[in-house]
Amino acid sequence: MAHKQLKIAFIHPDLGIGGAERLVVDAAVGLQMKGHDVIFYTSHHDPKHCFEETRDGTLKVNVRGDWLPRTIFGRFYILCAIFRQIVLAFSLIYQDDKEYDVLVIDQLSACIPLFKSLSSARILFYCHHPDLLLTSRESLIKKLYRIPVDKWEEWTTGMSDRIAVNSGYTGSVFKESFRSIKQIPEILYPPINFTGYDRSVDLNDESVKILQCSQKMLISINRFERKKNVELALRAFASLKEMVSAETLSKYRLVLAEKIIKNTGGYDRRVQENVEYLEELDQLAKSEFGLKTFTIYPSSLDLPPSDTQIIFLCSFNDAQRTYLLSEADLMLYTPSNEHFGITPVEGMYGCLPVIACNSGGPVETIKHEETGLLLPSDPEAWGCGIKDFVTGKYDKMKMGRQGREHVRQKFSLEAFSNQSQEIIDDMMAQPLKKSSVVLYFLFAMVMVLIAVVYACL
């Protein structure tokens, strides 16, 4: 079906490297492939730290307001982010002569009232997770300062013409967090762009050579953060000592790979939690379980000893990712209550059965005992699950094929683009709803007063 060509602008705070950025870039590429005129507006874009499509000319990118501070003396992160977005919004409205048909906004909803007042564009807001749930509130003044910010997030989000979320789980969290919003969000699952995963493995790449081994691989791909519970995979692997023979266990190696972190590019020694948690995991493996470990840091080409049982891979590159997804036997995805979790989708597309926790997004992406296993967050349960693959109870080849087909049908860029187009078509068919900008100034006055009090304490 032919669609009217539309002018679509994506508004994203920081167009770096991360799951949210991967999603909006894929969404933009998909809509551009449907014939729409697509452009990005962002407060920050570093050509040395971004996805290729935003650097090689595939997508047009406009940067506005990058000269504004991200923090004030290490405080007011959210206020600075709001201010930067408002400046970007005014710039788009008054400097650009283009009238956009659709604005796709994610992460931060602060600018929505401006566009509802001063533009004729329809607004689709994509909620990865409510911001009010992503911040700590240690002090009384922080709690007070967050009250109007949280209310502002709820009010501005509710002004969108349509709202989308990345999973049914996030949809339920959204409903619980924003009770005044009556609109039911659309579930728009993040896709993966298959072309990025269909590359052949370059076995001559030096960074790939250090991963090659005679053992079969189990892989866990996640950030080295405690909330990701990477130790679950480690404890589950160690529990195999009591479930299979030493000879069988010696045929397997667990690779704990650190996924790229937004704004750092991966494992970063300057990030204290990265350093501390890696050390904790290493000590747990060696001291408590007596496992032989080896750590591969970024740019390291040292070859692990052949009897290494645990590999810590810090910040893998694309070639290493391709190798892991093509050569591993099984993927272990450890977080509980994950908003969505794109990693299991990547694993299934690589024909890997996936073991994940039976909560959050993976419940919607993994078919239990068909494309993987959904288990309680318990090392013994996971150990039994791994054992069932090792001993052949499950046909991992068949399960892998089923996983790949499942992803092709449900999580393709084409499926995502088609659903996005349906949402846009529906928005464009509805009467335009305008709003007033008066509350902006009331909110700004309250925020300035709180900021002054907070800075004086």
Side-chain angles (χ1 to χ4, degrees):
M1 176 182 175
H3 299 277
K4 177 185 176 183
Q5 182 181 22
L6 301 174
K7 295 176 181 177
I8 302 174
F10 281 74
I11 297 175
H12 186 80
D14 184 341
L15 201 55
I17 295 176
E21 288 71 39
R22 184 68 265 170
L23 184 144
V24 293
V25 167
D26 284 341
V29 170
L31 289 173
Q32 189 166 266
M33 289 170 62
K34 286 188 171 292
H36 300 301
D37 183 7
V38 179
I39 189 170
F40 264 100
Y41 284 84
T42 181
S43 298
H44 179 74
H45 179 249
D46 181 355
K48 296 180 181 178
H49 188 83
C50 63
F51 287 114
E52 186 176 354
E53 295 92 334
T54 68
R55 180 179 57 240
D56 65 5
T58 301
L59 295 169
K60 293 174 284 187
V61 178
N62 274 343
V63 181
R64 304 287 170 82
D66 201 10
W67 50 273
L68 292 164
R70 292 173 178 268
T71 68
I72 300 174
F73 302 115
R75 296 179 172 182
F76 311 121
Y77 288 92
I78 187 63
L79 291 185
C80 287
I82 290 172
F83 187 57
R84 284 162 67 94
Q85 191 184 63
I86 290 173
V87 169
L88 184 154
F90 271 118
S91 171
L92 188 158
I93 292 168
Y94 290 113
Q95 287 188 21
D96 294 353
D97 55 6
K98 275 191 175 181
E99 278 290 330
Y100 291 100
D101 299 298
V102 176
L103 300 176
V104 181
I105 302 171
D106 75 311
Q107 288 194 329
L108 199 59
S109 59
C111 64
I112 292 176
L114 272 178
F115 289 119
K116 295 299 292 183
S117 302
L118 304 174
S119 83
S120 59
R122 268 65 168 190
I123 295 173
L124 169 61
F125 183 76
Y126 193 97
C127 177
H128 306 277
H129 205 66
D131 181 75
L132 62 86
L133 300 179
L134 300 177
T135 184
S136 57
R137 302 155 197 266
E138 304 90 351
S139 64
L140 176 60
I141 193 67
K142 180 68 175 292
K143 292 177 182 177
L144 293 174
Y145 143 64
R146 283 296 312 195
I147 290 173
V149 172
D150 295 344
K151 290 298 181 182
W152 182 253
E153 179 185 8
E154 183 170 1
W155 178 68
T156 55
T157 299
M159 295 182 71
S160 308
D161 293 290
R162 293 297 287 272
I163 300 169
V165 292
N166 56 14
S167 66
Y169 172 73
T170 299
S172 64
V173 172
F174 180 96
K175 184 177 180 180
E176 183 66 25
S177 301
F178 301 138
R179 297 189 179 186
S180 69
I181 298 178
K182 304 306 179 185
Q183 183 181 160
I184 299 175
E186 296 268 353
I187 299 174
L188 189 56
Y189 291 121
I192 61 171
N193 192 340
F194 298 151
T195 56
Y197 296 85
D198 288 338
R199 298 167 183 159
S200 58
V201 179
D202 183 2
L203 296 177
N204 293 318
D205 188 304
E206 294 299 325
S207 67
V208 170
K209 287 182 179 180
I210 61 176
L211 295 177
Q212 296 174 31
C213 61
S214 60
Q215 298 112 307
K216 298 177 181 179
M217 286 190 300
L218 312 179
I219 62 171
S220 170
I221 298 177
N222 239 309
R223 300 194 296 271
F224 287 163
E225 296 175 358
R226 293 179 183 87
K227 68 179 182 180
K228 297 299 184 180
N229 197 22
V230 179
E231 67 183 76
L232 174 59
L234 182 56
R235 291 183 179 277
F237 183 81
S239 73
L240 290 176
K241 284 185 173 184
E242 309 298 325
M243 301 181 187
V244 300
S245 67
E247 180 183 1
T248 298
L249 185 60
S250 68
K251 296 177 181 178
Y252 287 85
R253 170 183 284 183
L254 174 63
V255 179
L256 300 175
E258 162 78 345
K259 197 163 189 176
I260 290 173
I261 301 175
K262 179 182 175 182
N263 296 330
T264 68
Y267 174 85
D268 193 335
R269 294 172 191 257
R270 297 169 298 176
V271 178
Q272 193 63 26
E273 186 178 13
N274 278 189
V275 178
E276 292 176 352
Y277 195 43
L278 175 59
E279 179 63 24
E280 288 172 17
L281 293 170
D282 189 45
Q283 287 302 312
L284 181 66
K286 291 189 295 191
S287 301
E288 186 170 336
F289 300 129
L291 299 170
K292 296 181 180 180
T293 70
F294 189 85
T295 301
I296 301 175
Y297 291 103
S299 302
S300 172
L301 295 177
D302 294 333
L303 190 67
S306 60
D307 61 347
T308 300
Q309 296 167 288
I310 308 292
I311 294 286
F312 296 104
L313 177 60
C314 303
S315 297
F316 54 85
N317 59 33
D318 285 346
Q320 290 172 324
R321 181 194 67 177
T322 301
Y323 177 78
L324 292 175
L325 292 177
S326 64
E327 298 298 321
D329 269 31
L330 181 66
M331 173 178 281
L332 309 177
Y333 189 68
T334 57
S336 297
N337 296 317
E338 192 77 348
H339 313 157
F340 174 72
I342 197 69
T343 301
V345 177
E346 295 172 328
M348 288 186 290
Y349 187 71
C351 292
L352 295 181
V354 181
I355 297 180
C357 293
N358 56 356
S359 64
V363 174
E364 300 170 57
T365 58
I366 297 168
K367 294 184 176 182
H368 183 60
E369 295 189 332
E370 185 175 334
T371 68
L373 300 179
L374 294 167
L375 302 173
S377 181
D378 174 68
E380 186 174 349
W382 279 50
C384 290
I386 296 172
K387 181 201 71 174
D388 288 342
F389 281 102
V390 169
T391 58
K393 176 181 177 180
Y394 294 112
D395 184 342
K396 63 176 181 290
M397 298 295 290
K398 179 182 178 182
M399 199 173 278
R401 290 193 299 271
Q402 291 173 163
R404 185 180 179 90
E405 183 59 29
H406 173 54
V407 171
R408 291 183 68 88
Q409 291 181 6
K410 193 170 183 179
F411 302 104
S412 69
L413 182 58
E414 182 182 8
F416 180 85
S417 301
N418 288 340
Q419 190 180 356
S420 299
Q421 183 67 61
E422 289 175 4
I423 294 173
I424 289 172
D425 288 344
D426 185 65
M427 282 197 304
M428 297 303 295
Q430 301 301 317
L432 180 65
K433 298 177 182 178
K434 302 287 281 187
S435 184
S436 170
V437 78
V438 174
L439 285 178
Y440 245 92
F441 300 103
L442 295 176
F443 173 78
M445 290 173 63
V446 172
M447 287 292 94
V448 170
L449 287 174
I450 292 175
V452 170
V453 173
Y454 187 32
C456 293
L457 294 178

Coordinates of all heavy atoms in Angstrom, one line a residue, residues 36-63:
H36 N 9.7 8.3 3.3 CA 9.5 9.6 4.1 C 10.8 10.4 4.1 O 11.9 9.8 4.0 CB 9.0 9.3 5.5 CG 7.7 8.5 5.5 ND1 6.5 9.0 4.9 CD2 7.3 7.3 6.0 CE1 5.5 8.2 5.1 NE2 6.0 7.1 5.7
D37 N 10.7 11.7 4.3 CA 11.8 12.6 4.5 C 12.1 12.6 6.0 O 11.3 13.2 6.8 CB 11.5 14.0 3.9 CG 12.6 14.9 4.1 OD1 13.7 14.5 4.4 OD2 12.4 16.1 3.8
V38 N 13.2 12.0 6.4 CA 13.5 11.8 7.8 C 14.8 12.6 8.2 O 15.8 12.6 7.5 CB 13.7 10.3 8.2 CG1 14.0 10.1 9.7 CG2 12.4 9.6 7.8
I39 N 14.7 13.2 9.4 CA 15.9 13.9 9.9 C 15.9 13.8 11.4 O 14.9 13.6 12.1 CB 15.8 15.4 9.5 CG1 17.1 16.1 9.8 CG2 14.6 16.1 10.1 CD1 17.3 17.5 9.3
F40 N 17.1 13.9 12.0 CA 17.3 13.8 13.5 C 17.6 15.2 14.0 O 18.4 16.0 13.4 CB 18.4 12.9 13.9 CG 18.0 11.5 14.2 CD1 18.1 10.5 13.3 CD2 17.5 11.3 15.5 CE1 17.7 9.2 13.7 CE2 17.1 10.0 15.9 CZ 17.2 9.0 14.9
Y41 N 17.0 15.6 15.1 CA 17.4 16.7 15.9 C 17.9 16.2 17.3 O 17.2 15.4 17.9 CB 16.3 17.7 16.1 CG 16.0 18.5 14.9 CD1 15.1 18.0 13.9 CD2 16.5 19.8 14.7 CE1 14.9 18.7 12.8 CE2 16.2 20.5 13.6 CZ 15.4 20.0 12.6 OH 15.1 20.8 11.5
T42 N 19.1 16.7 17.7 CA 19.6 16.2 19.0 C 20.5 17.3 19.6 O 20.9 18.2 18.9 CB 20.5 14.9 18.7 OG1 21.0 14.5 20.0 CG2 21.7 15.3 17.8
S43 N 20.7 17.2 20.9 CA 21.5 18.2 21.6 C 22.9 17.8 21.6 O 23.8 18.6 22.0 CB 21.0 18.3 23.1 OG 19.7 18.7 23.2
H44 N 23.2 16.5 21.2 CA 24.7 16.1 21.2 C 24.8 15.0 20.2 O 24.0 14.0 20.2 CB 25.1 15.7 22.6 CG 26.6 15.2 22.6 ND1 27.6 16.1 22.5 CD2 27.1 14.0 22.6 CE1 28.8 15.4 22.5 NE2 28.5 14.1 22.6
H45 N 25.9 15.1 19.4 CA 26.2 14.0 18.4 C 27.7 14.0 18.2 O 28.2 15.0 17.6 CB 25.4 14.2 17.1 CG 25.7 13.1 16.1 ND1 26.4 13.4 14.9 CD2 25.4 11.8 16.1 CE1 26.5 12.3 14.2 NE2 26.0 11.3 14.9
D46 N 28.4 13.0 18.6 CA 29.8 12.9 18.4 C 30.1 11.9 17.3 O 29.8 10.7 17.4 CB 30.5 12.4 19.7 CG 32.0 12.3 19.6 OD1 32.5 12.5 18.5 OD2 32.7 12.0 20.6
P47 N 30.6 12.4 16.1 CA 30.8 11.4 15.0 C 31.8 10.3 15.3 O 31.8 9.3 14.6 CB 31.5 12.4 13.9 CG 31.0 13.7 14.3 CD 30.9 13.8 15.8
K48 N 32.6 10.4 16.4 CA 33.5 9.4 16.8 C 32.8 8.4 17.8 O 33.4 7.4 18.1 CB 34.7 10.0 17.5 CG 35.6 10.8 16.6 CD 36.8 11.4 17.3 CE 37.6 12.2 16.4 NZ 38.8 12.8 17.1
H49 N 31.6 8.7 18.2 CA 30.9 7.8 19.2 C 29.4 7.8 18.9 O 28.6 8.4 19.6 CB 31.2 8.4 20.6 CG 30.7 7.4 21.7 ND1 31.4 6.3 22.1 CD2 29.5 7.4 22.4 CE1 30.7 5.7 23.0 NE2 29.5 6.3 23.2
C50 N 29.1 7.1 17.8 CA 27.7 7.1 17.3 C 27.5 5.9 16.4 O 28.5 5.3 16.0 CB 27.4 8.4 16.6 SG 28.3 8.6 15.1
F51 N 26.3 5.6 16.0 CA 26.0 4.6 15.1 C 26.3 5.1 13.7 O 26.1 6.2 13.4 CB 24.6 4.1 15.2 CG 24.3 3.3 16.5 CD1 23.5 3.8 17.5 CD2 25.0 2.1 16.6 CE1 23.3 3.0 18.6 CE2 24.8 1.3 17.8 CZ 23.9 1.8 18.8
E52 N 26.8 4.1 12.9 CA 27.3 4.4 11.5 C 26.3 5.2 10.7 O 26.6 6.1 9.9 CB 27.7 3.2 10.8 CG 28.3 3.4 9.5 CD 28.8 2.1 8.8 OE1 28.7 1.0 9.5 OE2 29.3 2.1 7.7
E53 N 25.0 4.9 10.8 CA 24.0 5.5 10.0 C 23.9 7.0 10.2 O 23.4 7.8 9.3 CB 22.6 4.9 10.2 CG 22.5 3.4 9.8 CD 22.8 2.5 10.9 OE1 23.6 2.9 11.9 OE2 22.4 1.3 10.9
T54 N 24.2 7.5 11.4 CA 24.2 8.9 11.7 C 25.5 9.6 11.3 O 25.6 10.8 11.5 CB 23.9 9.1 13.2 OG1 25.0 8.7 14.0 CG2 22.7 8.4 13.7
R55 N 26.5 8.8 10.9 CA 27.8 9.4 10.5 C 28.0 9.3 9.0 O 28.7 10.2 8.5 CB 28.9 8.6 11.3 CG 30.3 9.1 11.0 CD 31.3 8.3 11.8 NE 31.2 6.9 11.6 CZ 31.0 6.0 12.6 NH1 30.8 6.4 13.8 NH2 31.0 4.7 12.3
D56 N 27.5 8.3 8.4 CA 27.9 8.1 7.0 C 26.9 8.8 6.0 O 27.1 8.6 4.7 CB 28.0 6.6 6.7 CG 26.7 5.9 6.8 OD1 25.6 6.5 7.0 OD2 26.6 4.6 6.7
G57 N 26.0 9.6 6.5 CA 25.1 10.3 5.5 C 23.8 9.5 5.3 O 22.9 10.1 4.6
T58 N 23.6 8.3 5.8 CA 22.3 7.6 5.7 C 21.2 8.4 6.3 O 20.1 8.6 5.7 CB 22.4 6.2 6.4 OG1 23.4 5.5 5.8 CG2 21.1 5.5 6.2
L59 N 21.4 9.0 7.5 CA 20.5 9.9 8.1 C 21.0 11.3 8.3 O 22.2 11.4 8.7 CB 20.1 9.3 9.5 CG 19.4 7.9 9.5 CD1 19.3 7.3 10.9 CD2 18.0 8.1 8.9
K60 N 20.2 12.3 8.1 CA 20.6 13.6 8.4 C 20.5 14.0 9.8 O 19.5 13.6 10.5 CB 19.7 14.6 7.5 CG 19.9 14.5 6.0 CD 18.9 15.4 5.3 CE 17.6 14.7 5.2 NZ 16.6 15.5 4.4
V61 N 21.5 14.7 10.4 CA 21.5 15.0 11.8 C 21.7 16.4 12.0 O 22.7 17.0 11.5 CB 22.6 14.2 12.6 CG1 22.6 14.5 14.1 CG2 22.3 12.7 12.4
N62 N 20.8 17.1 12.8 CA 21.0 18.5 13.2 C 21.3 18.5 14.7 O 20.5 18.0 15.5 CB 19.8 19.3 12.9 CG 19.8 19.8 11.4 OD1 20.8 19.9 10.8 ND2 18.6 20.2 10.9
V63 N 22.4 19.2 15.1 CA 22.7 19.4 16.5 C 22.4 20.8 16.9 O 22.8 21.8 16.3 CB 24.2 19.1 16.8 CG1 24.5 19.2 18.2 CG2 24.5 17.7 16.3

